[in-house]
Each structure stands twice: as C-alpha cells, then as structure tokens.
Amino acid sequence: MKREYEVIIIGGGIIGCATAFELAKRGITDILLIEKRYLTSGATGRCGAGIRQQWGSELNARLALESTHIFEHLEEYTGYGHSCGLHQGGYLLVAYTQKEWDQFQENLKVQHRLGIDSRALTPQEAKQIVPYLNTDGVYGATFCQKDGHADPFHCTQAYAQGAARMGVEFLTYTEVTGLQIQNGQIAGVETTKGPFSARIVLNCANVHAPELARMAGEEIPVTSERHQALVTEPVAPLIDCMVMAFSRSFYVQQTPHGSFVMGIGPREEPSFSFRSTWQFLEQNCAVMCEALPVLRKLNVVRQWAGQYDLSPDRNPIIDEAKQARGFYSICGFSGHGFMVGPRIAILMANHLAGKDDTMDIRMFSKKRYETGKLLLEPAVV
Amino acid sequence: MENRTDDKNTILCRCEDLTREAILDCIRAGFCTIDEIKRVTRAGMGPCQGRTCRLLIAQELSSYYHIPMEEVLMPTFRPPTRPVSMGVLADAWKEGQSGAAENGGKGGTA
C-alpha cells in the first residue's frame, strides 16, 4: 500500500470530494482522501439539498451563484454518467414579519448587484407561483427561478469519481486518529489503517474538524448542532419550487422523484446526536401544514438527523494551523456547505496550486473573530 | 429446476422498482454497504423503508464479499415505523400544545 502522498484530504463529503477534484484538475493528482465511513455519510448526505442564490450578504450570494453555475453542468464537468438531479424550480422566500420583509428589500439589492435574477412578489403573486400557499400573515415573498436543489449523493459521487479517474485515491471506513507534525509543518496522519505522509493535509471533517484541528494545536470555534428533516412518500408534482421562511424557520421542496423533503430549524444545544425525535415530527408537520395545507394528506415515510457545523458568524472558516503549516481546516459552513461547496473547492484548489482567484481566501480565516471583521449573513435558517 | 435468482429481471426493491441486477451492478462498482447502495440507487427509500429489500441486499453483499450476514452493516432504523399522514401529526402537535396550556404548561403531548 502506498504511504506517501502530496495531499491528504480528511472527509468524504461535498467539500472534501469537490476539493480533490479541483486539485486534480489543476495537476495535483497525488491525493489520498480518507473517510471515516463512506462518501456522503456525514452532513452532505443528510442535508436539505437546497441551492439558493437569494442571500443577504454579497459573499454568500456570490459563492452560491458561482457554485450554481457549476451545478448546472456538473455531470459534464466531472464526466459523471448519472444525473446529479439538479432542478431549478426556484426558491420562494416568504416574509411573515415587516422586519423580514424590509430585510428582503436589502437582500434583493445585494443580489441584483451580482446579476442574480430575483424579484419581490406580493402575497397574491406568490400564490400564482405556489397556488397551495396559505397567504395568511404573509407580507410578501421573493423568488429566484435559478435557485433549486440537487442530489447530494450523486453530486458528491460525480466529484469523487471524476477525481478518481484523474488518479485520486479514496480510503473509506478509515478514521484519522492522529497527526504527524515536524518542525511546525504537517508531515502526515495516523489512521486506523496505519500512517500516511503528506506535506498538505486538508481537514474537511465538518463537525469533527475542531477535534482534528486541536491535534494541530488550533482551536476552531465551530460547534455541532443537530437539525432534523423528513421525507414523504412520492406524489404527482404539486409544488415546483422550494418554499422557505426564516421567521418561521422552515423549508420544504418536492424532489424530482415526487417525495417532499422538509425541515424546521430550532436552535439546540451543541451535540453530536443523530437521533430522531417525535417532537420534531409533530412540530414540523404543524408548521408546514399551516403554510401549505395541501401537505396534510401526505404520508411521512422517514425522518432523520444531521449536523450543522456552526461557526460564530455562520459562515465558513478556512484556516491554516500556525503550529502545523500545511494543515488547513475548511469547515463552519453552518448548514449551507452543500450549495457553496463547488466554489469553495475552486478557491481552495487555486490557493494550493498557486493560481489566482477572484476571491481572497484570507477573509475566511478565523482571525476575523479577533479583528471583528465578521462575515455577517442576515438570511439563514 | 430453473435457478430463479439468475433472472435479471427479479425485482429486489419493490418500492423503487430496482432489479437484483441493478443492485449487483452497484456492488460490483464498489459500493459495499446497504447504506451506500441506498444513496446511489434509492433502494430502501420508498414507503416500506427497506422492510423487503434490506435483507435481500444484505444477502447479496454477504455472498459477494463472503462475509456472514450478521457482519453486513445495517442502516439506521428511523421513525415513523409505518407511513403517517402529516395532518395527523400536525393535529397531534396542536392537541399537545393546547393540552400543555390547560395543564399550566406541564402537560405532554399524550
């Protein structure tokens, strides 16, 4: 078994796999990706799968916009033989308070500056897009047709298989148990299948990124928060777009397969729990049936749980360990890692390959929590 | 006697219309657990949540990898045990909330 690589990536989710692919595309193919279980077994495979450009900060809107351009032809981009399931039915963001409605006007300005085709709608216009929407208490909504959702499993597989064809190796069911550091430089990792050496190690382990970073002497301010979701049986097409509301903290979409995927996002104490709760099942249905009464007839077939890797300003952290140069933590996506993954991977790969990028990677450093240059985002669930 | 398991059209996951051959293709491509197969094929994601296909896929993995059935990793079992309508669940939440209010906030969702 080969023991030396140029780059080791820890974590087989969208961030790890997309970064492996982008590095390989730039000629860095001597890569080993190590995953504790199997690809998409963590947050990526448990996420709500939404892709939206209707953000309130220019940074997120841009990351999502540029990622969407890749999602739009990901199969071709990676040479994948299966559909990645992108459906651009749009996102309808519903405002239930005046404050939220005012914020939406600000968000639209940010989006329009970037050329994102979003628009404000009256409750009646929103109802034309989603006839089943209960407009009681609705102040207005915004809509962007290019928003939508994709299949996280196939998107990740597309990147992984594309990377593998260029020579990237994958080691699943293998856990990283330690880091090798020599003279302030990362030298490799210890795993349950023995040691592997590399001068660059990328920590893409989502909620487990802080414990890996701690082995490199870095404290990453990311905590793990459980979020739950559920899926219904498939039915004929009812709603083409994602319906989402921040103040009522819900999202719901019908997948191309016909099932509805939805979730609500109450804040919880940090935990690594993957357990389902009965309370979520009932409360989620109550919130959703209020907004979209047509859903009452649908049967729930499964609920599950996943984790947000929450950072203090709910935006990504990309940080190189001071005591282990070459060890980068890429985490803190706070629930929107899937939709910005393609662009983050390009940014990371450009940085490591010494190529120019129109984004400055330094703004994602955790130094911002000391300097106060936070990456604030007003539009999150 | 005809060996029925060799029939390429044998349906293995009834909810998602997947043949045994489709599952075998997936195993041959390197997907080595029920959960991995589920994520790329939807096997076990239908209304029965794998009640029929879970053990059939486990058998295929067991024979392909020459491992005992009990060593095939099982996916997580999740609620609800059988499909329940969202309306029933929504009403249960509201009843629980009003019950809790009547009990001075101490009641459960019984």
Side-chain angles (χ1 to χ4, degrees), chain A residues 317-377:
Chain A
I317 295 171
I318 303 178
D319 209 84
E320 188 178 10
K322 280 181 216 70
Q323 297 166 46
R325 305 313 289 183
F327 180 86
Y328 292 87
S329 295
I330 308 152
C331 60
F333 291 92
S334 310
H336 49 274
F338 175 64
M339 68 177 84
V340 299
R343 182 62 179 94
I344 290 286
I346 289 174
L347 177 68
M348 201 58 223
N350 279 342
H351 177 71
L352 294 174
K355 295 195 186 308
D356 290 340
D357 196 298
T358 52
M359 256 181 203
D360 185 354
I361 198 166
R362 287 171 301 184
M363 73 176 150
F364 295 100
S365 159
K366 72 184 173 75
K367 265 192 220 122
R368 68 180 187 266
Y369 302 119
E370 292 160 26
T371 60
K373 285 185 184 162
L374 300 183
L375 302 173
L376 293 175
E377 172 54 61

Coordinates of all heavy atoms in Angstrom, one line a residue, chain A residues 317-377:
Chain A
I317 N -15.1 28.8 7.6 CA -13.7 29.1 8.1 C -12.7 28.3 7.3 O -12.9 27.1 7.1 CB -13.6 28.7 9.6 CG1 -14.5 29.5 10.5 CG2 -12.1 28.8 10.1 CD1 -14.6 29.0 12.0
I318 N -11.8 29.0 6.7 CA -10.7 28.3 6.0 C -9.4 28.8 6.7 O -9.1 30.0 6.6 CB -10.6 28.6 4.5 CG1 -12.0 28.2 3.8 CG2 -9.4 27.9 3.8 CD1 -12.0 28.5 2.4
D319 N -8.7 28.0 7.4 CA -7.6 28.4 8.2 C -6.5 27.4 8.2 O -6.7 26.2 8.4 CB -8.2 28.6 9.7 CG -7.4 29.7 10.4 OD1 -7.8 30.8 10.3 OD2 -6.5 29.3 11.2
E320 N -5.3 28.0 8.1 CA -4.0 27.1 8.2 C -3.5 27.1 9.6 O -3.4 28.2 10.2 CB -3.0 27.7 7.2 CG -1.8 26.8 7.1 CD -0.8 27.3 6.1 OE1 -0.9 28.5 5.6 OE2 0.2 26.5 5.7
A321 N -3.2 25.9 10.1 CA -2.7 25.9 11.5 C -1.3 26.5 11.6 O -0.5 26.3 10.8 CB -2.6 24.4 12.0
K322 N -1.2 27.4 12.7 CA 0.1 28.1 12.9 C 1.2 27.1 13.3 O 2.3 27.3 12.9 CB -0.1 29.1 13.9 CG -0.8 30.4 13.4 CD -0.9 31.4 14.6 CE -2.2 32.2 14.5 NZ -3.4 31.4 14.8
Q323 N 0.8 26.1 14.1 CA 1.9 25.2 14.6 C 2.0 24.0 13.7 O 2.8 23.1 14.0 CB 1.5 24.8 16.0 CG 1.5 25.9 17.0 CD 0.8 25.5 18.3 OE1 1.1 24.5 18.8 NE2 -0.1 26.4 18.8
A324 N 1.3 23.9 12.6 CA 1.4 22.8 11.7 C 1.1 23.4 10.3 O 0.0 23.2 9.8 CB 0.5 21.7 12.1
R325 N 2.0 24.1 9.7 CA 1.8 24.7 8.4 C 1.5 23.6 7.4 O 2.0 22.4 7.5 CB 3.1 25.4 7.9 CG 3.6 26.5 8.8 CD 2.6 27.4 9.4 NE 2.1 28.4 8.4 CZ 1.2 29.3 8.7 NH1 0.7 29.5 9.9 NH2 0.7 30.1 7.8
G326 N 0.6 23.9 6.5 CA 0.2 22.9 5.5 C -1.1 22.1 6.0 O -1.7 21.4 5.2
F327 N -1.5 22.4 7.2 CA -2.7 21.7 7.7 C -3.8 22.8 7.7 O -3.8 23.7 8.4 CB -2.5 21.2 9.1 CG -3.8 20.5 9.7 CD1 -4.0 19.2 9.5 CD2 -4.7 21.3 10.5 CE1 -5.1 18.6 10.0 CE2 -5.8 20.6 11.0 CZ -6.0 19.3 10.8
Y328 N -4.8 22.6 6.8 CA -5.9 23.5 6.6 C -7.2 23.0 7.1 O -7.5 21.8 6.8 CB -6.1 23.9 5.1 CG -5.0 24.6 4.5 CD1 -3.9 24.0 3.9 CD2 -5.0 26.0 4.4 CE1 -2.8 24.7 3.3 CE2 -4.0 26.8 3.8 CZ -2.9 26.1 3.2 OH -1.9 26.8 2.6
S329 N -7.9 23.7 7.9 CA -9.3 23.4 8.3 C -10.2 24.1 7.4 O -10.1 25.3 7.2 CB -9.5 23.7 9.7 OG -8.7 22.9 10.5
I330 N -11.2 23.4 6.8 CA -12.2 24.0 5.9 C -13.5 23.6 6.5 O -13.9 22.4 6.2 CB -12.0 23.5 4.4 CG1 -10.6 23.8 4.0 CG2 -13.0 24.3 3.5 CD1 -10.1 22.8 3.0
C331 N -14.1 24.4 7.3 CA -15.3 24.0 8.0 C -16.2 25.2 8.4 O -15.9 26.3 7.9 CB -14.9 23.1 9.2 SG -13.9 24.1 10.4
G332 N -17.2 24.9 9.2 CA -18.0 26.0 9.7 C -19.1 26.5 8.7 O -19.5 27.6 8.8
F333 N -19.5 25.6 7.9 CA -20.4 26.0 6.8 C -21.8 26.3 7.3 O -22.7 26.9 6.6 CB -20.4 25.0 5.7 CG -19.1 25.0 4.9 CD1 -18.1 24.1 5.3 CD2 -19.0 25.9 3.9 CE1 -16.9 24.2 4.6 CE2 -17.7 25.9 3.2 CZ -16.7 25.1 3.6
S334 N -22.1 25.9 8.5 CA -23.3 26.3 9.3 C -24.6 25.9 8.5 O -25.6 26.7 8.6 CB -23.3 27.8 9.6 OG -22.1 28.1 10.2
G335 N -24.6 24.9 7.8 CA -25.9 24.4 7.1 C -26.0 24.8 5.7 O -26.9 24.4 5.0
H336 N -25.0 25.5 5.1 CA -25.1 25.8 3.7 C -23.8 25.4 2.9 O -23.5 26.0 1.9 CB -25.5 27.2 3.3 CG -24.8 28.3 4.1 ND1 -25.1 28.7 5.3 CD2 -23.7 29.0 3.7 CE1 -24.3 29.6 5.7 NE2 -23.4 29.9 4.8
G337 N -23.1 24.3 3.4 CA -21.9 23.9 2.8 C -22.2 23.2 1.4 O -21.3 23.3 0.5
F338 N -23.3 22.5 1.3 CA -23.5 21.8 0.0 C -23.7 22.8 -1.1 O -23.0 22.6 -2.2 CB -24.8 20.9 0.1 CG -25.2 20.3 -1.1 CD1 -24.4 19.3 -1.7 CD2 -26.4 20.6 -1.8 CE1 -24.7 18.7 -3.0 CE2 -26.8 20.0 -3.0 CZ -25.9 19.1 -3.6
M339 N -24.4 23.9 -0.9 CA -24.7 24.8 -2.1 C -23.5 25.7 -2.4 O -23.5 26.2 -3.5 CB -26.0 25.6 -1.8 CG -25.8 26.6 -0.7 SD -27.3 27.6 -0.5 CE -28.3 26.6 0.5
V340 N -22.6 25.8 -1.5 CA -21.4 26.6 -1.9 C -20.1 25.8 -2.1 O -19.1 26.3 -2.4 CB -21.1 27.7 -0.8 CG1 -22.2 28.7 -0.6 CG2 -20.7 27.1 0.6
G341 N -20.3 24.5 -1.9 CA -19.2 23.6 -2.0 C -18.3 23.7 -3.3 O -17.1 23.8 -3.2
P342 N -19.0 23.7 -4.4 CA -18.2 23.8 -5.7 C -17.3 25.0 -5.8 O -16.2 24.9 -6.2 CB -19.3 23.9 -6.8 CG -20.5 23.1 -6.2 CD -20.4 23.5 -4.7
R343 N -17.8 26.2 -5.3 CA -16.9 27.4 -5.4 C -15.8 27.4 -4.3 O -14.7 27.8 -4.6 CB -17.8 28.6 -5.2 CG -17.0 29.9 -5.4 CD -16.4 30.0 -6.8 NE -15.6 31.3 -6.9 CZ -14.3 31.4 -6.7 NH1 -13.6 30.4 -6.2 NH2 -13.7 32.6 -6.9
I344 N -16.1 26.9 -3.1 CA -15.1 26.8 -2.1 C -14.0 25.9 -2.5 O -12.8 26.1 -2.3 CB -15.8 26.3 -0.8 CG1 -16.7 27.4 -0.2 CG2 -14.7 25.8 0.3 CD1 -16.0 28.5 0.5
A345 N -14.4 24.8 -3.2 CA -13.4 23.8 -3.7 C -12.4 24.5 -4.7 O -11.2 24.2 -4.6 CB -14.0 22.6 -4.3
I346 N -13.0 25.3 -5.5 CA -12.1 26.0 -6.5 C -11.2 27.0 -5.8 O -10.0 27.1 -6.1 CB -13.0 26.8 -7.5 CG1 -13.7 25.7 -8.4 CG2 -12.3 27.8 -8.3 CD1 -14.8 26.3 -9.4
L347 N -11.7 27.7 -4.8 CA -10.9 28.7 -4.1 C -9.7 28.0 -3.4 O -8.6 28.4 -3.5 CB -11.8 29.4 -3.0 CG -11.2 30.3 -2.1 CD1 -10.7 31.6 -2.9 CD2 -12.1 30.7 -1.0
M348 N -10.1 26.8 -2.8 CA -9.0 26.1 -2.0 C -8.0 25.5 -3.0 O -6.8 25.6 -2.8 CB -9.7 24.9 -1.3 CG -9.0 24.4 -0.2 SD -8.6 25.6 1.1 CE -6.9 25.2 1.4
A349 N -8.5 25.0 -4.1 CA -7.5 24.4 -5.1 C -6.7 25.5 -5.8 O -5.5 25.2 -5.9 CB -8.3 23.6 -6.2
N350 N -7.2 26.6 -6.1 CA -6.4 27.7 -6.6 C -5.4 28.1 -5.7 O -4.2 28.4 -6.1 CB -7.3 28.9 -7.0 CG -8.0 28.7 -8.3 OD1 -7.7 27.9 -9.1 ND2 -9.1 29.5 -8.5
H351 N -5.7 28.2 -4.4 CA -4.8 28.6 -3.4 C -3.6 27.6 -3.3 O -2.4 28.0 -3.3 CB -5.5 28.7 -2.0 CG -4.6 29.1 -0.9 ND1 -4.0 30.3 -0.7 CD2 -4.1 28.3 0.1 CE1 -3.2 30.3 0.3 NE2 -3.3 29.1 0.9
L352 N -3.9 26.3 -3.2 CA -2.9 25.3 -3.1 C -2.0 25.2 -4.4 O -0.9 24.8 -4.3 CB -3.5 24.0 -2.7 CG -4.1 24.0 -1.3 CD1 -4.8 22.6 -1.0 CD2 -3.1 24.2 -0.2
A353 N -2.7 25.4 -5.5 CA -1.9 25.2 -6.8 C -1.2 26.5 -7.2 O -0.6 26.6 -8.2 CB -2.9 24.8 -7.9
G354 N -1.3 27.5 -6.3 CA -0.7 28.8 -6.6 C -1.3 29.6 -7.8 O -0.6 30.3 -8.5
K355 N -2.6 29.4 -8.0 CA -3.3 30.1 -9.1 C -4.1 31.2 -8.5 O -4.5 31.2 -7.4 CB -4.2 29.1 -9.8 CG -3.4 28.0 -10.5 CD -4.2 27.3 -11.6 CE -3.5 26.1 -12.2 NZ -2.2 26.4 -12.8
D356 N -4.3 32.2 -9.3 CA -5.0 33.4 -8.9 C -6.5 33.0 -8.8 O -7.0 32.2 -9.5 CB -4.9 34.5 -10.0 CG -3.5 35.1 -10.0 OD1 -2.8 35.0 -9.0 OD2 -3.2 35.7 -11.0
D357 N -7.1 33.8 -7.8 CA -8.6 33.6 -7.7 C -9.2 35.0 -7.5 O -8.5 35.9 -6.9 CB -8.9 32.7 -6.5 CG -10.3 32.2 -6.4 OD1 -11.2 33.0 -6.4 OD2 -10.5 30.9 -6.5
T358 N -10.4 35.2 -7.9 CA -11.0 36.5 -7.7 C -11.5 36.7 -6.3 O -11.9 37.8 -6.0 CB -12.2 36.7 -8.7 OG1 -13.1 35.5 -8.5 CG2 -11.8 36.7 -10.1
M359 N -11.5 35.7 -5.5 CA -11.8 35.8 -4.1 C -10.6 35.7 -3.2 O -9.7 34.9 -3.6 CB -12.8 34.7 -3.7 CG -14.2 35.1 -3.5 SD -15.2 33.8 -3.0 CE -16.8 34.4 -3.6
D360 N -10.5 36.5 -2.1 CA -9.4 36.4 -1.3 C -9.6 35.4 -0.1 O -10.5 35.6 0.7 CB -9.2 37.8 -0.7 CG -7.9 37.9 0.2 OD1 -7.3 36.8 0.4 OD2 -7.6 39.0 0.6
I361 N -8.9 34.3 -0.2 CA -9.1 33.2 0.8 C -8.9 33.7 2.3 O -9.4 33.2 3.2 CB -8.1 32.1 0.5 CG1 -8.6 30.8 1.1 CG2 -6.7 32.3 0.8 CD1 -8.0 29.5 0.6
R362 N -8.1 34.8 2.4 CA -7.8 35.2 3.8 C -9.0 35.7 4.6 O -9.0 35.7 5.8 CB -6.7 36.3 3.7 CG -5.3 35.8 3.4 CD -4.3 36.9 3.1 NE -4.8 37.8 2.0 CZ -4.1 38.8 1.6 NH1 -2.9 39.1 2.1 NH2 -4.5 39.5 0.6
M363 N -10.0 36.2 3.8 CA -11.2 36.7 4.6 C -11.9 35.6 5.3 O -12.7 35.8 6.2 CB -12.1 37.4 3.6 CG -12.9 36.5 2.7 SD -14.1 37.5 1.8 CE -14.2 36.6 0.3
F364 N -11.6 34.3 5.0 CA -12.3 33.2 5.7 C -11.5 32.7 6.9 O -11.9 31.8 7.6 CB -12.4 32.0 4.7 CG -13.4 32.2 3.6 CD1 -12.9 32.6 2.3 CD2 -14.7 32.2 3.8 CE1 -13.8 32.8 1.3 CE2 -15.6 32.4 2.7 CZ -15.1 32.8 1.5
S365 N -10.4 33.4 7.2 CA -9.5 33.0 8.3 C -10.3 33.2 9.6 O -11.1 34.1 9.7 CB -8.3 33.8 8.3 OG -7.7 33.8 9.6
K366 N -10.0 32.4 10.6 CA -10.7 32.6 11.9 C -10.2 33.8 12.6 O -10.7 34.2 13.7 CB -10.6 31.3 12.8 CG -9.2 31.0 13.4 CD -9.3 29.7 14.1 CE -7.9 29.2 14.6 NZ -7.4 30.0 15.7
K367 N -9.2 34.4 12.1 CA -8.7 35.7 12.7 C -9.8 36.7 12.7 O -9.8 37.6 13.6 CB -7.6 36.3 11.8 CG -6.2 35.9 12.2 CD -5.2 36.8 11.5 CE -4.0 36.0 11.1 NZ -3.7 35.9 9.7
R368 N -10.8 36.6 11.9 CA -11.9 37.6 11.8 C -12.7 37.6 13.2 O -13.3 38.6 13.5 CB -12.9 37.3 10.7 CG -13.7 36.0 10.8 CD -14.6 35.9 9.6 NE -15.6 34.8 9.6 CZ -15.4 33.6 9.1 NH1 -14.3 33.3 8.5 NH2 -16.4 32.7 9.2
Y369 N -12.6 36.6 14.0 CA -13.3 36.6 15.2 C -12.5 37.4 16.3 O -13.0 37.8 17.3 CB -13.5 35.2 15.8 CG -14.4 34.4 14.8 CD1 -13.9 33.2 14.2 CD2 -15.6 34.8 14.4 CE1 -14.6 32.5 13.3 CE2 -16.4 34.1 13.4 CZ -15.8 32.9 12.9 OH -16.6 32.2 12.0
E370 N -11.2 37.7 16.0 CA -10.4 38.6 16.8 C -10.5 40.0 16.3 O -10.7 40.9 17.1 CB -9.0 38.1 16.9 CG -8.8 36.8 17.6 CD -7.5 36.1 17.2 OE1 -6.5 36.9 16.8 OE2 -7.4 34.9 17.2
T371 N -10.5 40.2 15.0 CA -10.4 41.5 14.5 C -11.8 42.1 14.3 O -12.0 43.3 14.2 CB -9.8 41.5 13.1 OG1 -10.6 40.7 12.2 CG2 -8.4 41.0 13.1
G372 N -12.8 41.2 14.4 CA -14.2 41.8 14.3 C -14.7 41.9 12.9 O -15.8 42.4 12.7
K373 N -13.9 41.5 11.9 CA -14.4 41.6 10.5 C -15.2 40.3 10.2 O -14.8 39.5 9.4 CB -13.2 41.6 9.6 CG -12.5 43.0 9.6 CD -11.4 43.1 8.5 CE -10.7 44.4 8.6 NZ -9.4 44.4 8.0
L374 N -16.3 40.2 10.8 CA -17.2 39.1 10.7 C -17.8 39.0 9.3 O -18.0 40.1 8.7 CB -18.3 39.0 11.8 CG -17.8 39.0 13.2 CD1 -19.0 38.9 14.2 CD2 -16.8 37.9 13.5
L375 N -18.2 37.8 8.9 CA -18.9 37.7 7.6 C -20.4 37.5 8.0 O -20.8 36.4 8.1 CB -18.3 36.4 6.9 CG -16.8 36.4 6.6 CD1 -16.4 35.1 6.0 CD2 -16.5 37.5 5.6
L376 N -21.1 38.6 8.1 CA -22.4 38.5 8.6 C -23.4 38.2 7.5 O -23.3 38.7 6.4 CB -22.8 39.8 9.3 CG -22.0 40.1 10.6 CD1 -22.3 41.4 11.2 CD2 -22.2 39.0 11.7
E377 N -24.4 37.4 7.9 CA -25.4 36.9 6.9 C -26.8 37.1 7.6 O -27.1 36.4 8.6 CB -25.1 35.5 6.6 CG -26.2 34.8 5.7 CD -26.5 35.6 4.5 OE1 -25.6 35.8 3.6 OE2 -27.6 36.1 4.3

